[in-house]
Amino acid sequence: TGGADDAVRIWDAHTGKPVSELLKCRATVDKLFVANDARRLVTIPQDGDSGGLLWNYSSRGFQPTSLRCRDGYRIYDQFYTAAFSPDGRRLGVAGKWKGYSLGEWWLVDLDTLDAVAPVTVTTCPVKSLAFSPDGSRLAVGWDYRPPVYDEGTPGVGVYSV
């Protein structure tokens, strides 16, 4: 769970008791994403401007890394949503880079934090991301009236990754 106390708590689903020390974030935790193996987390603050944190589990517990992704010449630091690939090696991230209002999404290699797929610009902020079960496609959803993509659903683009 994440919340207004700028912290994430990890709970045992069977006992309902906390199983991890408090993970302190930089701001109110608005969104929390967990990898399938539960060894990685992403937290996104309420304002989106403080940048996301990628939490990797090691023998020392969860350790945070600033999620400021690079695509060769820009650093993305305003995040709206994220999704882990089923194999846990990539992260779909949506947000924007400072100074621009268009929404963008990209894929991140979780070992290097480099963008591994071209950034795709949308006409408004991307609100949701979801990988297909085999990790070969990424569904991207946003507001307003975007183009219709191959699935025929307005507001959703499906991309091969």
Side-chain angles (χ1 to χ4, degrees):
T1 57
D5 61 354
D6 303 351
V8 172
R9 290 174 181 79
I10 299 173
W11 304 83
D12 183 307
H14 299 289
T15 67
K17 296 183 180 183
V19 297
S20 166
E21 292 184 23
L22 199 63
L23 308 178
K24 275 311 254 183
C25 299
R26 292 178 266 209
T28 296
V29 178
D30 186 48
K31 296 178 181 120
L32 174 64
F33 303 92
V34 182
N36 285 342
D37 66 2
R39 299 185 64 78
R40 285 186 167 145
L41 310 171
V42 168
T43 55
I44 297 177
Q46 188 172 26
D47 63 7
D49 291 339
S50 302
L53 289 175
L54 172 66
W55 300 82
N56 289 294
Y57 188 79
S58 70
S59 60
R60 298 177 296 160
F62 280 99
Q63 302 298 313
T65 301
S66 180
L67 189 56
R68 295 173 62 92
C69 311
R70 301 173 296 276
D71 77 349
Y73 62 98
R74 295 184 284 204
I75 297 177
Y76 297 88
D77 54 10
Q78 289 184 294
F79 300 101
Y80 300 135
T81 190
F84 286 96
S85 64
D87 65 7
R89 297 177 50 203
R90 294 175 297 167
L91 180 71
V93 182
K96 66 177 190 166
W97 49 294
K98 291 204 185 251
Y100 291 83
S101 60
L102 297 175
E104 297 178 323
W105 68 268
W106 59 98
L107 290 176
V108 177
D109 177 302
L110 287 173
D111 292 327
T112 64
L113 293 185
D114 288 332
V116 295
V119 170
T120 300
V121 178
T122 63
T123 55
C124 53
V126 171
K127 300 292 186 170
S128 58
L129 298 170
F131 277 93
S132 62
D134 67 0
S136 67
R137 291 182 166 244
L138 180 68
V140 180
W142 58 89
D143 289 337
Y144 310 116
R145 295 185 146 282
V148 177
Y149 285 88
D150 64 355
E151 295 297 311
T153 306
V156 176
V158 178
Y159 300 88
S160 293
V161 294

